[in-house]
Amino acid sequence: MDRICISGISTFGYHGVLDHERRFGQRFTVDVVLDVDVAAAAAGDDLDSTVDYAGVVAAAVQIMEGQPVNLIETLAERIAARCLEDRRVDRAEITVHKPQAPVGARVADVTVTVVRDR
């Protein structure tokens, strides 16, 4: 299977279980890996035969900027589900980064990755 990878989709959101996370927000970043057969698109050089990267980015941003959730697991799940709405996507691997997660110590990043198959 072929892969489409979009790394570093970044925006501001208000997700988390703590009050200050919901009030002040923070930056979240998402990486998307989609298993898609791109043979027809490559053969015909036709955007309509593949997944539109701009649409994937717009959907991820909409979810990240949308209704606050407690867990980045929920964000990852919602983005994966949206990606799988496109019948050309056989598998979605979504990683949500929360580098400012309040975990009681300085860390470079906290991530959750979900993998969902059609």
Side-chain angles (χ1 to χ4, degrees), residues 72-89:
I72 59 175
E73 290 87 336
T74 306
L75 285 178
E77 185 71 33
R78 289 181 179 178
I79 295 167
R82 180 76 63 85
C83 290
L84 289 170
E85 288 176 2
D86 187 323
R87 286 284 183 207
R88 294 170 290 209
V89 176

PDB file of all heavy atoms in Angstrom, residues 72-89:
ATOM      1  N   ILE A  72      -6.019  13.806  24.417  1.00  0.00           N
ATOM      2  CA  ILE A  72      -5.514  13.843  23.046  1.00  0.00           C
ATOM      3  C   ILE A  72      -5.832  12.535  22.325  1.00  0.00           C
ATOM      4  O   ILE A  72      -5.864  12.502  21.101  1.00  0.00           O
ATOM      5  CB  ILE A  72      -4.023  14.220  22.973  1.00  0.00           C
ATOM      6  CG1 ILE A  72      -3.127  13.257  23.741  1.00  0.00           C
ATOM      7  CG2 ILE A  72      -3.826  15.658  23.436  1.00  0.00           C
ATOM      8  CD1 ILE A  72      -1.629  13.547  23.595  1.00  0.00           C
ATOM      9  N   GLU A  73      -6.124  11.499  23.074  1.00  0.00           N
ATOM     10  CA  GLU A  73      -6.594  10.249  22.479  1.00  0.00           C
ATOM     11  C   GLU A  73      -7.885  10.492  21.697  1.00  0.00           C
ATOM     12  O   GLU A  73      -8.084   9.943  20.613  1.00  0.00           O
ATOM     13  CB  GLU A  73      -6.834   9.190  23.555  1.00  0.00           C
ATOM     14  CG  GLU A  73      -5.582   8.649  24.215  1.00  0.00           C
ATOM     15  CD  GLU A  73      -5.074   9.446  25.405  1.00  0.00           C
ATOM     16  OE1 GLU A  73      -5.362  10.668  25.518  1.00  0.00           O
ATOM     17  OE2 GLU A  73      -4.361   8.847  26.234  1.00  0.00           O
ATOM     18  N   THR A  74      -8.749  11.321  22.256  1.00  0.00           N
ATOM     19  CA  THR A  74     -10.017  11.645  21.605  1.00  0.00           C
ATOM     20  C   THR A  74      -9.780  12.446  20.330  1.00  0.00           C
ATOM     21  O   THR A  74     -10.417  12.192  19.297  1.00  0.00           O
ATOM     22  CB  THR A  74     -10.936  12.416  22.567  1.00  0.00           C
ATOM     23  OG1 THR A  74     -11.085  11.661  23.769  1.00  0.00           O
ATOM     24  CG2 THR A  74     -12.296  12.681  21.954  1.00  0.00           C
ATOM     25  N   LEU A  75      -8.856  13.403  20.385  1.00  0.00           N
ATOM     26  CA  LEU A  75      -8.524  14.159  19.170  1.00  0.00           C
ATOM     27  C   LEU A  75      -8.020  13.230  18.075  1.00  0.00           C
ATOM     28  O   LEU A  75      -8.456  13.317  16.923  1.00  0.00           O
ATOM     29  CB  LEU A  75      -7.440  15.201  19.471  1.00  0.00           C
ATOM     30  CG  LEU A  75      -7.845  16.443  20.228  1.00  0.00           C
ATOM     31  CD1 LEU A  75      -6.619  17.321  20.464  1.00  0.00           C
ATOM     32  CD2 LEU A  75      -8.913  17.217  19.489  1.00  0.00           C
ATOM     33  N   ALA A  76      -7.103  12.343  18.440  1.00  0.00           N
ATOM     34  CA  ALA A  76      -6.547  11.410  17.454  1.00  0.00           C
ATOM     35  C   ALA A  76      -7.643  10.538  16.851  1.00  0.00           C
ATOM     36  O   ALA A  76      -7.690  10.328  15.635  1.00  0.00           O
ATOM     37  CB  ALA A  76      -5.458  10.554  18.099  1.00  0.00           C
ATOM     38  N   GLU A  77      -8.522  10.041  17.681  1.00  0.00           N
ATOM     39  CA  GLU A  77      -9.617   9.181  17.218  1.00  0.00           C
ATOM     40  C   GLU A  77     -10.535   9.935  16.255  1.00  0.00           C
ATOM     41  O   GLU A  77     -10.937   9.397  15.215  1.00  0.00           O
ATOM     42  CB  GLU A  77     -10.407   8.673  18.416  1.00  0.00           C
ATOM     43  CG  GLU A  77     -11.493   7.687  18.081  1.00  0.00           C
ATOM     44  CD  GLU A  77     -10.947   6.329  17.659  1.00  0.00           C
ATOM     45  OE1 GLU A  77      -9.893   5.906  18.153  1.00  0.00           O
ATOM     46  OE2 GLU A  77     -11.602   5.689  16.808  1.00  0.00           O
ATOM     47  N   ARG A  78     -10.861  11.171  16.581  1.00  0.00           N
ATOM     48  CA  ARG A  78     -11.751  11.963  15.720  1.00  0.00           C
ATOM     49  C   ARG A  78     -11.116  12.276  14.371  1.00  0.00           C
ATOM     50  O   ARG A  78     -11.786  12.241  13.336  1.00  0.00           O
ATOM     51  CB  ARG A  78     -12.163  13.251  16.434  1.00  0.00           C
ATOM     52  CG  ARG A  78     -13.125  12.990  17.574  1.00  0.00           C
ATOM     53  CD  ARG A  78     -13.550  14.249  18.260  1.00  0.00           C
ATOM     54  NE  ARG A  78     -14.485  13.935  19.335  1.00  0.00           N
ATOM     55  CZ  ARG A  78     -15.016  14.833  20.146  1.00  0.00           C
ATOM     56  NH1 ARG A  78     -14.710  16.113  20.007  1.00  0.00           N
ATOM     57  NH2 ARG A  78     -15.850  14.457  21.096  1.00  0.00           N
ATOM     58  N   ILE A  79      -9.835  12.575  14.387  1.00  0.00           N
ATOM     59  CA  ILE A  79      -9.151  12.862  13.129  1.00  0.00           C
ATOM     60  C   ILE A  79      -9.061  11.598  12.276  1.00  0.00           C
ATOM     61  O   ILE A  79      -9.297  11.637  11.064  1.00  0.00           O
ATOM     62  CB  ILE A  79      -7.770  13.487  13.386  1.00  0.00           C
ATOM     63  CG1 ILE A  79      -7.943  14.861  14.057  1.00  0.00           C
ATOM     64  CG2 ILE A  79      -6.970  13.606  12.089  1.00  0.00           C
ATOM     65  CD1 ILE A  79      -6.671  15.443  14.639  1.00  0.00           C
ATOM     66  N   ALA A  80      -8.759  10.470  12.895  1.00  0.00           N
ATOM     67  CA  ALA A  80      -8.711   9.204  12.161  1.00  0.00           C
ATOM     68  C   ALA A  80     -10.068   8.885  11.534  1.00  0.00           C
ATOM     69  O   ALA A  80     -10.141   8.492  10.363  1.00  0.00           O
ATOM     70  CB  ALA A  80      -8.265   8.068  13.082  1.00  0.00           C
ATOM     71  N   ALA A  81     -11.127   9.051  12.305  1.00  0.00           N
ATOM     72  CA  ALA A  81     -12.470   8.770  11.787  1.00  0.00           C
ATOM     73  C   ALA A  81     -12.795   9.661  10.591  1.00  0.00           C
ATOM     74  O   ALA A  81     -13.354   9.194   9.593  1.00  0.00           O
ATOM     75  CB  ALA A  81     -13.509   8.950  12.889  1.00  0.00           C
ATOM     76  N   ARG A  82     -12.423  10.926  10.678  1.00  0.00           N
ATOM     77  CA  ARG A  82     -12.685  11.846   9.562  1.00  0.00           C
ATOM     78  C   ARG A  82     -11.903  11.411   8.323  1.00  0.00           C
ATOM     79  O   ARG A  82     -12.420  11.422   7.210  1.00  0.00           O
ATOM     80  CB  ARG A  82     -12.316  13.267   9.962  1.00  0.00           C
ATOM     81  CG  ARG A  82     -12.529  14.308   8.897  1.00  0.00           C
ATOM     82  CD  ARG A  82     -13.979  14.725   8.685  1.00  0.00           C
ATOM     83  NE  ARG A  82     -14.559  15.333   9.835  1.00  0.00           N
ATOM     84  CZ  ARG A  82     -14.464  16.624  10.167  1.00  0.00           C
ATOM     85  NH1 ARG A  82     -13.798  17.454   9.389  1.00  0.00           N
ATOM     86  NH2 ARG A  82     -15.034  17.073  11.251  1.00  0.00           N
ATOM     87  N   CYS A  83     -10.650  11.021   8.502  1.00  0.00           N
ATOM     88  CA  CYS A  83      -9.837  10.575   7.360  1.00  0.00           C
ATOM     89  C   CYS A  83     -10.439   9.340   6.704  1.00  0.00           C
ATOM     90  O   CYS A  83     -10.432   9.212   5.478  1.00  0.00           O
ATOM     91  CB  CYS A  83      -8.408  10.286   7.804  1.00  0.00           C
ATOM     92  SG  CYS A  83      -7.467  11.773   8.250  1.00  0.00           S
ATOM     93  N   LEU A  84     -10.963   8.433   7.516  1.00  0.00           N
ATOM     94  CA  LEU A  84     -11.536   7.195   6.984  1.00  0.00           C
ATOM     95  C   LEU A  84     -12.883   7.402   6.299  1.00  0.00           C
ATOM     96  O   LEU A  84     -13.397   6.485   5.655  1.00  0.00           O
ATOM     97  CB  LEU A  84     -11.645   6.144   8.084  1.00  0.00           C
ATOM     98  CG  LEU A  84     -10.308   5.561   8.542  1.00  0.00           C
ATOM     99  CD1 LEU A  84     -10.499   4.720   9.798  1.00  0.00           C
ATOM    100  CD2 LEU A  84      -9.653   4.752   7.433  1.00  0.00           C
ATOM    101  N   GLU A  85     -13.452   8.601   6.412  1.00  0.00           N
ATOM    102  CA  GLU A  85     -14.673   8.900   5.666  1.00  0.00           C
ATOM    103  C   GLU A  85     -14.404   8.887   4.164  1.00  0.00           C
ATOM    104  O   GLU A  85     -15.309   8.646   3.381  1.00  0.00           O
ATOM    105  CB  GLU A  85     -15.245  10.254   6.090  1.00  0.00           C
ATOM    106  CG  GLU A  85     -15.867  10.233   7.467  1.00  0.00           C
ATOM    107  CD  GLU A  85     -16.357  11.603   7.916  1.00  0.00           C
ATOM    108  OE1 GLU A  85     -16.249  12.584   7.133  1.00  0.00           O
ATOM    109  OE2 GLU A  85     -16.823  11.705   9.060  1.00  0.00           O
ATOM    110  N   ASP A  86     -13.157   9.150   3.776  1.00  0.00           N
ATOM    111  CA  ASP A  86     -12.774   9.073   2.366  1.00  0.00           C
ATOM    112  C   ASP A  86     -12.536   7.605   2.039  1.00  0.00           C
ATOM    113  O   ASP A  86     -11.630   6.983   2.587  1.00  0.00           O
ATOM    114  CB  ASP A  86     -11.506   9.889   2.121  1.00  0.00           C
ATOM    115  CG  ASP A  86     -11.141   9.988   0.644  1.00  0.00           C
ATOM    116  OD1 ASP A  86     -11.336   8.996  -0.099  1.00  0.00           O
ATOM    117  OD2 ASP A  86     -10.648  11.054   0.246  1.00  0.00           O
ATOM    118  N   ARG A  87     -13.332   7.035   1.159  1.00  0.00           N
ATOM    119  CA  ARG A  87     -13.281   5.607   0.828  1.00  0.00           C
ATOM    120  C   ARG A  87     -11.932   5.161   0.267  1.00  0.00           C
ATOM    121  O   ARG A  87     -11.619   3.979   0.263  1.00  0.00           O
ATOM    122  CB  ARG A  87     -14.394   5.255  -0.169  1.00  0.00           C
ATOM    123  CG  ARG A  87     -15.749   5.236   0.475  1.00  0.00           C
ATOM    124  CD  ARG A  87     -15.828   3.977   1.243  1.00  0.00           C
ATOM    125  NE  ARG A  87     -17.112   3.798   1.869  1.00  0.00           N
ATOM    126  CZ  ARG A  87     -17.259   3.101   2.964  1.00  0.00           C
ATOM    127  NH1 ARG A  87     -16.233   2.565   3.551  1.00  0.00           N
ATOM    128  NH2 ARG A  87     -18.442   2.931   3.484  1.00  0.00           N
ATOM    129  N   ARG A  88     -11.141   6.096  -0.223  1.00  0.00           N
ATOM    130  CA  ARG A  88      -9.824   5.737  -0.756  1.00  0.00           C
ATOM    131  C   ARG A  88      -8.812   5.444   0.346  1.00  0.00           C
ATOM    132  O   ARG A  88      -7.779   4.842   0.095  1.00  0.00           O
ATOM    133  CB  ARG A  88      -9.305   6.853  -1.659  1.00  0.00           C
ATOM    134  CG  ARG A  88     -10.160   7.005  -2.925  1.00  0.00           C
ATOM    135  CD  ARG A  88      -9.785   8.234  -3.663  1.00  0.00           C
ATOM    136  NE  ARG A  88     -10.241   9.378  -2.870  1.00  0.00           N
ATOM    137  CZ  ARG A  88     -10.592  10.545  -3.379  1.00  0.00           C
ATOM    138  NH1 ARG A  88     -10.506  10.747  -4.667  1.00  0.00           N
ATOM    139  NH2 ARG A  88     -11.002  11.527  -2.609  1.00  0.00           N
ATOM    140  N   VAL A  89      -9.102   5.865   1.569  1.00  0.00           N
ATOM    141  CA  VAL A  89      -8.184   5.657   2.693  1.00  0.00           C
ATOM    142  C   VAL A  89      -8.466   4.293   3.315  1.00  0.00           C
ATOM    143  O   VAL A  89      -9.563   4.031   3.789  1.00  0.00           O
ATOM    144  CB  VAL A  89      -8.339   6.776   3.745  1.00  0.00           C
ATOM    145  CG1 VAL A  89      -7.453   6.500   4.959  1.00  0.00           C
ATOM    146  CG2 VAL A  89      -8.027   8.133   3.133  1.00  0.00           C
TER     147      VAL A  89
END
